[in-house]
Amino acid sequence: MSSYALKERVFHHLTKFFAFLVLFFLVAIFVVLLVKAYPAIEAFGFDFLTDEKWAPNLGIFGGFPAIYGSFISTLIAMLLAVPVAIGIAIFLSEVAPSRLKSPMGVSIELLAAIPSVVYGMWGLFYFAPLMRDLVGGNGLGLFTAGFILSLMILPFIAAITRDSLNTTPQILKESAYALGATKWDVIKDVMIPYAKAGIIGSVILALGRAFGETMAVTFVMGNVHNVPDSIFQAATSIPATLANEFNEADTELYYSSLFFLALILFIISFAIISLAKFHFLKRRKKVSDRKHKWHKLVKQWRRK
Amino acid sequence: MFGKIITGMFLASALVSNLFGGDRLTGAGASFPAPLYYDWAYTYKKKTGNRVNYQSIGSGGGIKQISKRMVDFGASDKPLKSAELEKKGLLQFPAVIGSIVVVFNVDGIADAQLKLKNSVVADIFAGKITKWNDSRIKADNPTLNLPNTPITVVHRSDGSGTTYNFSYYLSGSSEDWKSSVGTGKSLDWPVGLGGKGNEGVTNLVKQTPNSIGYVEQAYKSRNSMTAAVLQTASGKWVEAKEENFKAAAAYAKWTIEDNFYQMLALQPGDTSYPIVASTFILLPKEKANTNKMVTAFYDYSFGRRGDRSADKLGYIALPEATKNMIRNYWKKHGVNP
């Protein structure tokens, strides 16, 4: 065997090894979570997902409040962040004058560089009192956490969406304008469909980040295991519960219930991301579909 | 050239031996006494050159790590009963005493002005008394201008020895609390907000108007917060101040036979503050050599300098008689320094 061929093979196997390493860690983490969670799974079964009472001193563990809090705070964050972020991206890529584009783009990216604990502190010391004055109560809770999360994920969605909008070939846009499309038509019917994969990708990334965010949420969520009547009341989330309670989890069932929560977090994040990913991969394959759509659109404009 | 290299090596080895010189001990556990243990370790290092590395990971973690023999000593705010010590092969002795104060944030009411019956404290934390101008609070505070606002209860969100001792006090003060919530390091709190650590509770109480919470005494004085006057076990009013903490500590009935198992809350006496707690050190029975090094550290820290540090940081040093009893306990188990 020549030395080139050997190098080639070594390189081939090395990269393969690295790739499989990731898979190995994924499976290893899952297995550890499953094994550690087993006593709780055995004790509570699927009731764990719906039980509301969490009383470690009595040995009663129900995961529903934490699961519910995670979902609702993430939902609030997505509802607040996605429209605003896409608006920002459209403004930056198409509407803003070019002397504004770069400084605004950079400041949005800088927002993404702020560590989450800083968002948490800001939320606790500035935003929570503001909420207290606006809606009453104590200012901490699902909405406050959702708002802070939305600020954290906003730059992700905005920056990636802007970049993918910018990949729209100039020629497509110009053709649309030439056919009499307005700016709004071009954004809606040319750029957004073209950048759809990127936009969905950014939303998924943001969703994953919001769902697993720990520090910022622990500051502003209120950290109580109950299912609140309104989004302005205190609640808890899975990551916040784990961060708060792991150190002092001294009975086996307590410890393993926390692992059960971690397993649920792992499965939910995995499910959301893979679902979205498959959806988005499927879109990619249908290039012919998209071409078909272009033709339809062009016809539509011609008729105008 | 060679000369330089050799000097460099000598310098480096001197540095390394300095880093690793002396005995090294590792302990882990309760976060409540951690500031004091750091201070004690610092003075001990200066005096003897021996290092004590304490990790403040919480009482539960401390018990776990010493049970698995991952550290040289463990620390816990919750004493273990003799049977459990026997099972895990551990020795136990108290190291220092602390107290928990009920802090509140109500405009216009200063430190030591608000009087709360122990049963009223329990009912506030149980969510049964929800407003500051409730008739049961008013009854003991006729001169105070109590606002007609909801009470925001603040408790710990993490498991904690502080919560264990506080809920022990609440259980002793109210049958309802005892049967519905109980005693523990983390509880199913009926109402309120959770803050992480003493500092989390401190922050929430300080910035939430009309809130009430519980923290270690040291956090109250360091953050100039306002604390409530509580009751002794027999119902006399007692302020949250040092001589009253000491009075309660003096009633502790430690015994060697019990491995010092003793809760200090609700002690008898006319001036005994009701929520006083000690924190404990756990040693692995079979490791006589490292145990001797650990007891040497505590023996030194039980001295005058250690007491001064305790005082400065808001803790209460053990009474002299207790310290001697601990020294006898060490001798009995062959781990005296």
Side-chain angles (χ1 to χ4, degrees):
Chain A
M1 203 192 293
S2 77
S3 76
Y4 282 118
L6 182 72
K7 273 184 194 163
E8 195 79 355
R9 270 183 71 160
V10 168
F11 187 67
H12 173 88
H13 286 293
L14 202 65
T15 51
K16 199 163 147 191
F17 170 71
F18 289 152
F20 275 96
L21 207 60
V22 175
L23 215 66
F24 168 75
F25 282 126
L26 188 75
V27 175
I29 290 172
F30 180 77
V31 169
V32 168
L33 289 178
L34 195 67
V35 169
K36 294 269 186 185
Y38 189 71
I41 297 174
E42 209 184 10
F44 305 116
F46 283 106
D47 289 347
F48 187 78
L49 303 178
T50 52
D51 278 353
E52 287 185 23
K53 194 171 169 72
W54 181 272
N57 60 326
L58 308 176
I60 301 171
F61 300 97
F64 185 70
I67 298 169
Y68 177 83
S70 284
F71 267 110
I72 301 297
S73 61
T74 308
L75 185 73
I76 293 169
M78 297 312 281
L79 287 179
L80 291 174
V82 171
V84 177
I86 292 181
I88 292 171
I90 291 172
F91 178 77
L92 286 180
S93 68
E94 204 51 24
V95 185
S98 53
R99 73 194 144 77
L100 252 182
K101 275 184 190 172
S102 144
M104 282 196 73
V106 170
S107 45
I108 299 251
E109 277 156 21
L110 282 179
L111 206 57
I114 300 175
S116 62
V117 62
V118 177
Y119 279 102
M121 284 163 66
W122 178 82
L124 179 62
F125 289 104
Y126 182 77
F127 188 64
L130 194 70
M131 285 298 295
R132 194 165 57 223
D133 295 343
L134 289 176
V135 297
N138 45 49
L140 300 177
L142 284 172
F143 182 81
T144 311
F147 183 84
I148 300 295
L149 283 175
S150 76
L151 280 187
M152 293 176 60
I153 58 178
L154 190 80
F156 277 93
I157 309 177
I160 301 175
T161 302
R162 178 202 57 188
D163 290 346
S164 30
L165 286 176
N166 280 342
T167 58
T168 317
Q170 203 59 29
I171 193 137
L172 277 183
K173 289 197 270 182
E174 277 167 17
S175 325
Y177 282 124
L179 289 168
T182 61
K183 194 172 245 178
W184 167 239
D185 286 330
V186 172
I187 292 167
K188 177 169 70 89
D189 292 330
V190 180
M191 297 178 71
I192 290 185
Y194 193 88
K196 207 171 192 172
I199 298 173
I200 294 174
S202 72
V203 171
I204 296 167
L205 264 180
L207 190 70
R209 175 154 194 208
F211 205 73
E213 176 52 40
T214 310
M215 257 349 269
V217 171
T218 308
F219 270 98
V220 293
M221 189 72 126
N223 302 317
V224 285
H225 284 275
N226 72 21
V227 180
D229 309 325
S230 97
I231 56 170
F232 298 110
Q233 286 177 3
T236 190
S237 75
I238 300 177
T241 303
L242 297 180
N244 272 315
E245 302 187 19
F246 228 98
N247 276 350
E248 294 281 350
D250 51 357
T251 64
E252 201 203 349
L253 201 58
Y254 193 1
Y255 189 66
S256 126
S257 295
L258 291 173
F259 267 103
F260 197 2
L261 276 182
L263 182 71
I264 292 167
L265 182 69
F266 184 92
I267 292 173
I268 294 173
S269 319
F270 194 80
I272 292 175
I273 289 177
S274 48
L275 205 81
K277 194 97 185 164
F278 284 128
H279 183 71
F280 143 78
L281 276 179
K282 222 167 63 196
R283 298 235 153 218
R284 270 230 163 134
K285 278 186 194 138
K286 290 187 181 161
V287 177
S288 53
D289 259 27
R290 203 191 284 169
K291 265 186 191 155
H292 182 68
K293 234 164 136 192
W294 286 121
H295 286 298
K296 255 173 58 189
L297 273 174
V298 168
K299 269 185 208 155
Q300 228 179 327
W301 282 327
R302 275 200 185 132
R303 261 184 255 130
K304 276 186 191 171
Chain B
M1 183 65 202
F2 267 111
K4 264 189 193 166
I5 291 173
I6 288 165
T7 352
M9 277 163 77
F10 267 115
L11 267 175
S13 68
L15 254 175
V16 170
S17 66
N18 189 25
L19 272 176
F20 293 102
D23 299 331
R24 298 191 128 234
L25 290 170
T26 315
S31 53
F32 142 65
L36 179 63
Y37 292 171
Y38 296 150
D39 191 286
W40 280 356
Y42 178 74
T43 23
Y44 190 59
K45 163 87 183 8
K46 270 206 307 206
K47 178 86 184 164
T48 63
N50 298 335
R51 288 167 174 278
V52 178
N53 186 354
Y54 184 74
Q55 297 156 6
S56 159
I57 59 167
S59 302
I63 297 173
K64 221 180 291 169
Q65 294 215 352
I66 192 65
S67 302
K68 291 184 180 165
R69 305 297 194 256
M70 287 157 74
V71 285
D72 298 318
F73 66 95
S76 169
D77 290 340
K78 177 186 164 182
L80 300 183
K81 292 206 165 109
S82 292
E84 196 177 353
L85 290 170
E86 194 60 45
K87 209 176 83 194
K88 293 182 165 156
L90 296 173
L91 301 173
Q92 170 177 271
F93 62 89
V96 74
I97 296 169
S99 48
I100 297 161
V101 295
V102 174
V103 288
F104 60 89
N105 175 359
V106 179
D107 240 9
I109 302 182
D111 190 24
Q113 279 189 351
L114 180 71
K115 290 176 179 166
L116 295 177
K117 277 192 180 127
N118 294 343
S119 57
V120 169
V121 175
D123 282 353
I124 290 174
F125 279 85
K128 287 181 190 149
I129 294 177
T130 55
K131 290 214 161 168
W132 279 107
N133 63 351
D134 190 282
S135 57
R136 292 178 58 195
I137 304 179
K138 264 188 156 167
D140 297 318
N141 301 283
T143 56
L144 289 184
N145 184 19
L146 290 157
N148 177 25
T149 46
I151 303 175
T152 301
V153 169
V154 181
H155 53 75
R156 293 283 288 268
S157 61
D158 49 339
S160 144
T162 312
T163 301
Y164 180 80
N165 285 304
F166 184 65
S167 58
Y168 181 87
Y169 152 77
L170 293 181
S171 292
S173 310
S174 150
E175 275 305 315
D176 271 358
W177 180 275
K178 196 174 180 181
S179 57
S180 64
V181 184
T183 306
K185 288 193 291 189
S186 27
L187 307 168
D188 182 21
W189 291 96
V191 287
L193 295 175
K196 190 161 164 39
N198 273 305
E199 49 281 40
V201 173
T202 305
N203 281 334
L204 281 178
V205 170
K206 278 198 85 161
Q207 64 142 331
T208 313
N210 306 311
S211 58
I212 189 166
Y214 60 94
V215 293
E216 296 290 348
Q217 146 70 15
Y219 286 82
K220 180 223 154 195
S221 44
R222 223 178 296 154
N223 295 289
S224 52
M225 301 173 89
T226 47
V229 178
L230 304 178
Q231 283 176 309
T232 62
S234 54
K236 295 209 167 58
W237 294 114
V238 58
E239 264 181 60
K241 55 183 186 187
E242 203 186 321
E243 60 249 47
N244 298 339
F245 305 150
K246 279 191 172 148
Y251 278 94
K253 290 176 289 291
W254 316 95
T255 64
I256 290 182
E257 291 69 37
D258 262 359
N259 294 296
F260 300 94
Y261 182 90
Q262 168 88 53
M263 296 295 291
L264 296 185
L266 294 165
Q267 292 292 332
D270 283 349
T271 57
S272 299
Y273 185 76
I275 337 173
V276 173
S278 54
T279 180
F280 296 83
I281 298 299
L282 299 165
L283 295 177
K285 257 183 193 164
E286 74 284 358
K287 293 188 180 166
N289 282 332
T290 53
N291 284 348
K292 280 176 190 249
M293 292 185 230
V294 177
T295 53
F297 166 60
Y298 281 100
D299 190 43
Y300 176 77
S301 303
F302 285 164
R304 264 222 321 267
R305 285 209 55 174
D307 286 2
R308 255 208 322 268
S309 302
D311 217 38
K312 195 179 70 199
L313 292 170
Y315 301 86
I316 303 144
L318 293 171
E320 238 12 82
T322 310
K323 288 177 183 167
N324 286 330
M325 195 187 280
I326 294 171
R327 289 185 180 110
N328 287 333
Y329 178 77
W330 291 340
K331 247 180 233 146
K332 183 184 155 198
H333 290 279
V335 296
N336 51 316

